[in-house]
Amino acid sequence: MGETEQRPTAGSRLGAQENAGISTLEHGQKPPMTPPGKLVSIKIQMLDDTQETFDVPQRAPGKVLHDAVCNHLNLVEGDYFGLEFPDHKKMMVWLDLLKPVMKQIRRPKHVVVKFVVKFFPPDHAQLQEELTRYLFALQVKQDLAQGRLTCNDTSTALLISHIVQSEIGDFDETIDREHLAKNKYIPQQEALEDKIMEFHRSHMGQTPAESDFQLLEIARRLEMYGIRLHPAKDREGTKINLAVANTGILVFQGHTKINAFNWAKVRKLSFKRKRFLIKLRPDVNSSFQDTLEFLMASRDFCKSFWKICVEHHAFFRLFEEPKPKPKPVLFSRGSSFRFSGRTQKQVLDYVKEGGHKKVQFERKHSKIHSIRSLTAQPSEQHTEVPKQVSDSSSFAYGDDNDAAALQSCRQGKELKASTEDTGQHKSPSLKKSPKEGRKVDGAVVSTVEEEEEAAKDRMQQNRPQSQQPSTGSLTGSPHLSELSINSQGGPSVANMSLSPNLSPDAKQSSPLISPLLNDPTCIRTDDEEEVKRKRFPTEKAYFIAKEVATTERTYLKDLEVITLWFQNAVSKEDCMPETLKNLIFSNFEPLHKFHSGFLKEIEQRLALWEGRSNAHIKGDYQRIGDVMLKNIQSMKQLTIHLWKHNEILMELENGIKNSRKLETFCRDFELQKVCYLPLNTFLLRPLHRLMHYKQIMERLCKHYPPSHVDFRDSRAALAEISEMVAQLHGNMIKMENFQKLHELKKDLIGIDNLVIPGREFIRLGSLSKLSGKGLQQRMFFLFNDILLYTSRGLTASNQFKVHGHLPLYGMTIEESEEEWGVPHCLTLRGQHQSIVVAASTRAEMDKWTEDVQMAIDLAEKSSGPAPELLASSPPDNKSPDETTVDQESEDDLSASRTSLERQSPHRGNTTVHVCWHRNTSVSMIDFSIAVENQLSGNLLRKFKNSNGWQKLWVVFTNFCMFFYKSHQDNHPLASLPLLGYSLTIPSESENIHKDYVFKLHFKSHVYYFRAESEYTFERWMEVIRSATSSASRTRALSHKEPHAY
């Protein structure tokens, strides 16, 4: 790449822009000064064994070199990595980020510095970026080859099989043998080749990203994962090895771990000459002495190991970088060494908050071109580690056409846009970068956040191209488009080809972003909007009537999911008993027929009201109360069908429980685009709709004066619908709780009897659990009798694995910030176990405190302790002080190996997952309020960096906005989960200058929406505010209506 400035810098030599790449500094801090002077060339060996040369000033600190390498790789989570080199005594040491490089590397021309993983987290799911996981996978491959990662033959063969899958794709015996003959992953590999191929055969259809994920899942369970042994002797002179990990200091004899000193038990670490000293906290149950002493080969070895221990403790245990010690006035005592850089918590927060510049990365088969003899030009060869490119570029490796076709056939209908390069030649890697398929409570849809990235990339495309040919994504979307998109961004239906979704979290095909959502031809001009606005009535009653029509359209589409789509699918499969078919469809078809006529009648009245018909006497038609009264009275005859919905829901769930075939059928149906919510949610829609009618009529009666011609009919309609709601309300509460328990059951593994009579869901959300490994994110589920805590599954299904549970009977809760030194900290003390948790904010802590205390009170008033949970797989019931590290076992490895076959399909963006990613929580009260606050209608949408407004049909339900091209579409094109978002009015500085505009923003994501009138603006603000800010917690769960079934 060419230099961008006359005066060369480390960044410009790498082709970096002034502010490109990632800094490990917190926002607002300045980077370390780079002193001017002579540049020195440093050779860096990457994890794929390629070498790069970096020029740094002689007096530059180590951080400048480390940041230059991370910028070069576009590596966001660079804090997990370090630079190591042999010092003048040939001892491998880590580069100190605070000291000048030249004071550490005395002869740079003769030294090769290695860029390697330095800090291995306890759970690779904590690695947010796919590029980071890929680099970790390369480190595992390197450790295997060097004999550092030792394990039994089965584990070794399984690890290598995943590496082979990621490099050459699906199993082919001839290609496998040829590849294994050319590539040696371990010494004496020949003895394991048959076993490797046997395992590789079982990975059919697995993408490279999934292979990396599974590789790390297996490796993290091995005793030697991330371990570097340091020879030492104990007090008796016995030869041992010391090592440091995220949990603490480990003691090995050979390659067998014989002891571990958890960070929580270590009071002080020090060294004196060759002696390494560990001072432990006093423990009456321990037989260890207060201070342990180990003898190492030399003072330099001892100090080097002590430094590594200090860095590991700071990185994994502290919330922020330790402050530098004040310099002594006269005498210095001890080392001034301290950890420099962000802690793991700061890295996780930084990536989650979206503070970094997103660079798209696509993990592809890294060696497939060398095996399958693809016709790639020499200039188009790809290295395994990405280098920094222009803003519009995305990363791709090799070519995976064979695997793509096979994987897509397995997954379904996912399409890839075949795009043409506007540069000098066609790139072989013109593909989108993978990210999670988004799913909101059961339906995979692309998110508006991805569309925003697409809009930004299109704006960049329209600018003059750089001298280098573009190799970037044309839309920048993390998903591939349903239709082809040409280089101008317009739609084109030609050249479609199949492609897999490359994310380990996205196993199923997804309805992707349609180019129609981003097509410039869809943008409505302001003049058109003004002309349209002048044609229609402006009174509030008209817009209330219009809300009836718009929400009725959505309700009718929801009924069609059952009466049309589900019924057609059932008729093609012999999986449902006839009695269940008759029960469902005989009760839903009359509702669909009635509401089809109801909608036509409302639309006819609106047409008369707007003056779009031949009727010129409009006075009699400027009302809606008479239409509502007539139809609500007719609706009472359908009450018999509404009473059946409780039975329908229970019978369907029982059928799914008793029939594997029906379970698979319903699960597959939920993956269809039309089923944008969980299937059982659609069964509750008729009862929800009655509440909407009641709310609408309340607003209409409140608006009308008693003298209005429409007031009498409106008030009568309100009385009729209120009576129906009162009759069915208790039934609806039971059904909602029953539905929510079954929906949560799909998100959890490790528990069989979640749904039992009398159990009520109260709250779910993300909390940090304090353990021997430090603060670890966990998902908590609170019921009226028990509290479950889980971690996100490491399989493609994305389910949450139950780690443990605490019965609420006899539990106490207390704030413990001062005791543990952790903000927003609570201690939950059960009869047999206690746990310490921390919330993300004070408000979140208060919500949990109130709900847990309320649940404890309910448990105390009940008959006694809750029944024991029956686990389908043994939950991890470790206590908070548990210090052991996960041991390798054949069961664990087998479970990991077969997880893709055993687990249910991807559940990537249910409400549970949104809470996990946005570190928030939701209560049953919030779900009930969400049911009441549903809305549909047209809105104009604008991204922060776009110019025009797009007209979209928007449906708001289940804390999420779903976007359609028009109300006639059968499925959403994109979605925006709103949990965690803020709702405001644009300020003057944002230069919107339009009426009825509201703004949604979450961290760096900003969207503007424009309503057609003051009434619709206020309604959208009202319903969205219900999702973005939780309801008042000052309430008690109803004891009068227990959810018995």
Side-chain angles (χ1 to χ4, degrees):
M1 295 186 185
E3 295 181 0
T4 57
E5 297 178 0
Q6 290 183 349
R7 184 172 183 173
T9 65
S12 65
R13 288 173 182 271
L14 298 171
Q17 294 185 3
E18 188 67 26
N19 295 319
I22 298 303
S23 169
T24 56
L25 292 170
E26 290 300 302
H27 180 69
Q29 286 184 313
K30 293 182 179 180
M33 294 296 293
T34 305
K38 185 180 177 182
L39 296 178
V40 180
S41 296
I42 307 288
K43 290 193 287 275
I44 305 290
Q45 182 170 313
M46 302 297 182
L47 280 163
D48 62 349
D49 293 329
T50 60
Q51 286 191 8
E52 300 284 345
T53 301
F54 294 84
D55 294 339
V56 295
Q58 278 186 328
R59 289 181 287 171
K63 182 167 179 52
V64 171
L65 180 59
H66 183 270
D67 281 356
V69 178
C70 293
N71 290 345
H72 182 61
L73 297 175
N74 282 293
L75 181 60
V76 175
E77 298 168 300
D79 304 79
Y80 289 103
F81 300 83
L83 298 168
E84 66 170 358
F85 63 96
D87 66 2
H88 62 286
K89 294 184 180 179
K90 304 300 179 185
M91 184 176 74
M92 295 301 291
V93 294
W94 293 102
L95 186 74
D96 191 323
L97 300 186
L98 297 179
K99 290 184 178 178
V101 174
M102 292 309 297
K103 284 192 176 181
Q104 302 178 72
I105 306 175
R106 302 293 174 84
R107 302 173 66 193
K109 288 184 179 180
H110 305 283
V111 173
V112 176
V113 180
K114 293 185 177 181
F115 180 77
V116 293
V117 177
K118 186 174 184 179
F119 301 111
F120 291 80
D123 185 348
H124 62 274
Q126 294 174 341
L127 304 175
Q128 307 292 314
E129 297 286 313
E130 193 165 294
L131 171 58
T132 314
R133 290 196 292 270
Y134 168 59
L135 294 175
F136 267 71
L138 289 180
Q139 183 69 64
V140 170
K141 176 183 171 184
Q142 196 176 95
D143 288 350
L144 269 175
Q146 294 173 356
R148 189 179 286 157
L149 181 59
T150 57
C151 52
N152 60 39
D153 287 352
T154 302
S155 304
T156 303
L158 188 55
L159 288 168
I160 296 174
S161 70
H162 281 295
I163 295 173
V164 172
Q165 175 73 18
S166 71
E167 290 183 346
I168 66 172
D170 288 338
F171 174 79
D172 182 301
E173 187 169 353
T174 305
I175 294 172
D176 271 37
R177 291 200 182 279
E178 182 184 345
H179 182 75
L180 290 172
K182 291 180 179 179
N183 297 272
K184 297 299 177 186
Y185 298 103
I186 55 168
Q188 291 83 46
Q189 179 178 292
E190 294 77 9
L192 292 178
E193 282 189 2
D194 290 337
K195 210 166 194 176
I196 293 169
M197 291 169 62
E198 180 188 342
F199 284 136
H200 186 202
R201 190 193 303 269
S202 67
H203 303 330
M204 204 65 123
Q206 196 166 285
T207 64
E210 291 168 346
S211 298
D212 291 346
F213 202 80
Q214 295 296 333
L215 176 73
L216 296 176
E217 166 64 8
I218 298 161
R220 79 178 184 93
R221 300 174 184 272
L222 302 178
E223 198 164 71
M224 297 301 293
Y225 175 63
I227 296 299
R228 295 192 176 206
L229 299 177
H230 300 259
K233 292 181 181 179
D234 62 14
R235 280 183 171 174
E236 285 74 37
T238 306
K239 289 184 178 181
I240 57 166
N241 289 304
L242 297 179
V244 62
N246 58 78
T247 54
I249 298 171
L250 313 177
V251 183
F252 288 81
Q253 202 156 41
H255 286 81
T256 304
K257 188 175 71 175
I258 59 174
N259 220 329
F261 302 105
N262 194 274
W263 292 126
K265 293 183 178 180
V266 176
R267 183 178 172 189
K268 184 180 180 181
L269 294 174
S270 60
F271 71 96
K272 191 172 183 180
R273 297 185 180 87
K274 296 194 294 184
R275 290 182 297 150
F276 181 73
L277 306 172
I278 305 175
K279 192 167 187 177
L280 300 176
R281 298 184 185 278
D283 186 355
V284 292
N285 298 321
S286 175
S287 59
F288 292 121
Q289 301 173 10
D290 180 51
T291 302
L292 299 171
E293 185 178 306
F294 300 94
L295 193 67
M296 306 194 83
S298 67
R299 180 186 180 278
D300 288 344
F301 270 106
C302 196
K303 184 175 182 180
S304 175
F305 182 64
W306 173 79
K307 284 182 174 182
I308 298 168
C309 292
V310 169
E311 290 180 313
H312 272 73
H313 176 269
F315 184 76
F316 289 108
R317 296 282 288 181
L318 300 185
F319 285 100
E320 57 186 23
E321 179 183 352
K323 301 292 187 291
K325 296 178 182 178
K327 292 185 178 180
V329 180
L330 295 176
F331 304 104
S332 64
R333 184 180 177 185
S335 174
S336 62
F337 175 79
R338 67 179 178 89
F339 171 73
S340 173
R342 291 182 299 195
T343 64
Q344 187 191 28
K345 183 180 186 303
Q346 289 175 311
V347 176
L348 291 173
D349 291 345
Y350 176 76
V351 177
K352 281 186 179 181
E353 288 169 5
H356 59 286
K357 180 179 178 181
K358 289 185 179 178
V359 179
Q360 296 170 8
F361 167 73
E362 181 172 356
R363 174 73 173 98
K364 299 187 67 182
H365 299 296
S366 49
K367 293 191 176 181
I368 194 169
H369 58 272
S370 63
I371 296 297
R372 308 201 174 176
S373 305
L374 297 177
T375 58
Q377 298 298 323
S379 61
E380 296 168 345
Q381 294 281 332
H382 299 277
T383 60
E384 289 197 47
V385 178
K387 306 301 186 287
Q388 189 164 15
V389 291
S390 63
D391 287 350
S392 61
S393 298
S394 65
F395 298 117
Y397 301 90
D399 196 342
D400 61 346
N401 293 334
D402 297 351
L406 202 153
Q407 175 78 352
S408 294
C409 291
R410 184 175 66 85
Q411 290 183 344
K413 301 174 288 187
E414 185 161 341
L415 299 176
K416 183 193 83 139
S418 177
T419 53
E420 292 184 2
D421 195 348
T422 55
Q424 294 147 351
H425 65 273
K426 188 172 181 180
S427 167
S429 59
L430 200 58
K431 297 186 179 181
K432 309 288 189 290
S433 71
K435 290 206 177 171
E436 287 187 15
R438 306 288 178 177
K439 182 163 179 152
V440 180
D441 278 348
V444 181
V445 288
S446 55
T447 64
V448 177
E449 289 156 358
E450 293 158 2
E451 282 188 75
E452 181 187 24
E453 297 297 326
K456 290 178 184 175
D457 281 0
R458 274 198 313 282
M459 289 178 69
Q460 289 174 350
Q461 277 182 352
N462 295 331
R463 297 172 187 159
Q465 298 291 319
S466 61
Q467 292 182 355
Q468 292 186 342
S470 169
T471 59
S473 156
L474 290 181
T475 66
S477 168
H479 286 301
L480 310 177
S481 177
E482 282 184 314
L483 305 177
S484 295
I485 304 173
N486 61 27
S487 57
Q488 281 75 37
S492 163
V493 247
N495 301 325
M496 293 185 181
S497 64
L498 293 170
S499 172
N501 190 329
L502 296 176
S503 169
D505 294 336
K507 288 295 295 175
Q508 300 299 325
S509 61
S510 79
L512 309 168
I513 295 174
S514 167
L516 296 173
L517 272 179
N518 296 307
D519 188 356
T521 60
C522 292
I523 297 175
R524 178 179 293 279
T525 66
D526 295 329
D527 292 339
E528 288 174 348
E529 197 62 32
E530 289 302 321
V531 171
K532 181 178 181 296
R533 196 174 291 176
K534 288 175 183 176
R535 286 206 310 264
F536 294 122
T538 57
E539 60 264 38
K540 185 175 180 178
Y542 164 78
F543 289 108
I544 293 176
K546 193 171 182 181
E547 182 183 335
V548 178
T550 57
T551 52
E552 191 73 11
R553 286 170 184 163
T554 299
Y555 173 53
L556 206 58
K557 286 289 183 185
D558 287 348
L559 288 177
E560 286 175 1
V561 171
I562 301 296
T563 60
L564 177 63
W565 301 95
F566 189 59
Q567 188 169 10
N568 287 346
V570 166
S571 64
K572 296 175 185 175
E573 298 281 344
D574 183 23
C575 61
M576 184 180 288
E578 285 298 323
T579 53
L580 183 55
K581 283 186 195 176
N582 293 334
L583 179 65
I584 295 174
F585 302 122
S586 66
N587 284 287
F588 269 83
E589 285 173 348
L591 294 175
H592 181 264
K593 183 178 179 182
F594 171 79
H595 285 280
S596 297
F598 183 23
L599 177 60
K600 286 180 183 176
E601 200 168 337
I602 296 171
E603 289 177 334
Q604 286 170 2
R605 175 57 59 90
L606 284 174
L608 294 170
W609 202 331
E610 294 164 359
R612 288 186 283 129
S613 72
N614 294 326
H616 299 290
I617 309 171
K618 297 199 299 179
D620 291 335
Y621 300 110
Q622 291 183 339
R623 54 181 180 159
I624 194 68
D626 57 331
V627 177
M628 296 299 293
L629 177 60
K630 173 192 165 188
N631 282 279
I632 288 172
Q633 288 174 338
S634 302
M635 210 181 296
K636 290 185 114 179
Q637 301 172 13
L638 300 173
T639 307
I640 185 172
H641 299 296
L642 298 177
W643 279 109
K644 288 280 187 180
H645 286 192
N646 189 17
E647 183 184 349
I648 292 171
L649 183 62
M650 295 181 68
E651 288 300 320
L652 179 61
E653 292 297 346
N654 287 334
I656 289 171
K657 182 179 179 181
N658 297 324
S659 169
R660 180 63 60 86
K661 192 173 182 182
L662 180 58
E663 179 188 12
T664 303
F665 169 78
C666 291
R667 187 181 62 200
D668 292 343
F669 180 77
E670 282 192 331
L671 296 173
Q672 293 188 25
K673 299 176 184 179
V674 293
C675 194
Y676 67 102
L677 298 170
L679 177 60
N680 51 21
T681 301
F682 291 101
L683 300 178
L684 296 176
R685 279 296 192 243
L687 295 177
H688 295 165
R689 187 60 180 153
L690 295 181
M691 297 177 63
H692 302 157
Y693 292 142
K694 181 174 179 282
Q695 289 177 335
I696 287 171
M697 296 315 300
E698 285 173 345
R699 280 195 295 276
L700 195 61
C701 289
K702 189 176 180 180
H703 166 67
Y704 283 145
S707 58
H708 195 281
V709 66
D710 201 26
F711 179 76
R712 186 174 179 179
D713 286 341
S714 298
R715 190 171 60 176
L718 174 60
E720 296 277 3
I721 195 66
S722 297
E723 182 184 345
M724 290 181 67
V725 169
Q727 290 175 356
L728 294 162
H729 185 66
N731 200 35
M732 187 179 69
I733 290 177
K734 295 175 187 176
M735 290 176 66
E736 283 179 349
N737 184 71
F738 184 77
Q739 183 267 337
K740 187 53 61 183
L741 290 176
H742 276 280
E743 195 54 33
L744 291 178
K745 185 180 175 183
K746 296 177 188 176
D747 278 314
L748 296 174
I749 53 175
I751 177 172
D752 278 343
N753 65 337
L754 181 69
V755 186
I756 60 172
R759 176 164 290 158
E760 300 173 10
F761 164 69
I762 296 177
R763 179 175 289 278
L764 65 85
S766 172
L767 294 170
S768 295
K769 179 175 174 286
L770 187 63
S771 68
K773 298 177 181 179
L775 282 174
Q776 293 184 307
Q777 187 179 9
R778 293 285 180 259
M779 198 71 188
F780 282 75
F781 299 84
L782 176 65
F783 303 92
N784 63 335
D785 60 340
I786 203 160
L787 177 68
L788 301 179
Y789 57 93
T790 67
S791 64
R792 194 171 76 156
L794 300 175
T795 65
S797 65
N798 261 337
Q799 292 167 293
F800 288 83
K801 178 186 176 185
V802 176
H803 278 247
H805 63 273
L806 278 78
L808 298 181
Y809 187 81
M811 180 189 283
T812 60
I813 180 172
E814 59 189 48
E815 293 188 26
S816 50
E817 293 187 18
E818 294 183 2
E819 181 182 354
W820 296 101
V822 177
H824 321 308
C825 183
L826 297 169
T827 299
L828 304 173
R829 301 188 191 279
Q831 291 184 333
H832 305 292
Q833 182 186 359
S834 297
I835 61 172
V836 180
V837 297
S840 57
T841 64
R842 182 78 195 183
E844 276 294 304
M845 186 185 82
D846 291 342
K847 293 176 193 175
W848 278 103
T849 302
E850 184 170 349
D851 279 352
V852 171
Q853 188 59 59
M854 180 193 68
I856 292 172
D857 294 341
L858 288 175
E860 294 292 341
K861 292 175 184 176
S862 66
S863 56
E868 285 297 313
L869 289 171
L870 299 177
S872 57
S873 60
D876 177 13
N877 286 319
K878 294 181 181 177
S879 67
D881 298 325
E882 185 71 34
T883 61
T884 58
V885 183
D886 289 342
Q887 300 294 317
E888 173 191 1
S889 71
E890 293 301 319
D891 289 342
D892 289 339
L893 298 173
S894 173
S896 175
R897 180 169 65 248
T898 60
S899 61
L900 293 178
E901 301 156 18
R902 292 189 300 105
Q903 302 297 344
S904 61
H906 163 68
R907 295 182 60 78
N909 233 14
T910 62
T911 303
V912 179
H913 285 83
V914 174
C915 288
W916 171 269
H917 287 296
R918 295 184 181 167
N919 217 6
T920 187
S921 66
V922 177
S923 71
M924 191 61 193
I925 297 294
D926 296 324
F927 281 109
S928 299
I929 293 173
V931 164
E932 297 173 8
N933 288 283
Q934 298 183 15
L935 195 60
S936 308
N938 286 310
L939 285 175
L940 297 176
R941 187 195 62 187
K942 176 184 173 310
F943 294 131
K944 181 171 63 175
N945 297 319
S946 62
N947 295 321
W949 294 82
Q950 293 171 296
K951 184 180 179 182
L952 297 170
W953 177 261
V954 183
V955 174
F956 174 78
T957 183
N958 282 37
F959 311 108
C960 188
M961 296 175 83
F962 295 92
F963 301 94
Y964 301 73
K965 182 70 175 66
S966 77
H967 68 84
Q968 296 170 328
D969 290 355
N970 291 319
H971 59 82
L973 299 168
S975 72
L976 181 62
L978 294 185
L979 288 173
Y981 267 77
S982 297
L983 175 67
T984 57
I985 306 297
S987 63
E988 286 292 326
S989 61
E990 292 173 88
N991 296 320
I992 297 299
H993 306 309
K994 301 292 179 187
D995 293 331
Y996 315 131
V997 174
F998 59 90
K999 171 184 172 184
L1000 283 168
H1001 57 99
F1002 175 73
K1003 295 175 181 174
S1004 60
H1005 302 287
V1006 178
Y1007 314 101
Y1008 300 99
F1009 293 93
R1010 187 172 157 204
E1012 63 177 340
S1013 69
E1014 184 179 2
Y1015 172 80
T1016 51
F1017 168 76
E1018 290 173 352
R1019 284 291 292 135
W1020 280 107
M1021 290 284 285
E1022 179 185 347
V1023 298
I1024 291 174
R1025 192 176 287 115
S1026 71
T1028 55
S1029 58
S1030 298
S1032 170
R1033 299 345 289 168
T1034 311
R1035 80 284 181 278
L1037 207 64
S1038 171
H1039 302 275
K1040 299 178 182 177
E1041 298 169 330
H1043 304 162
Y1045 37 81

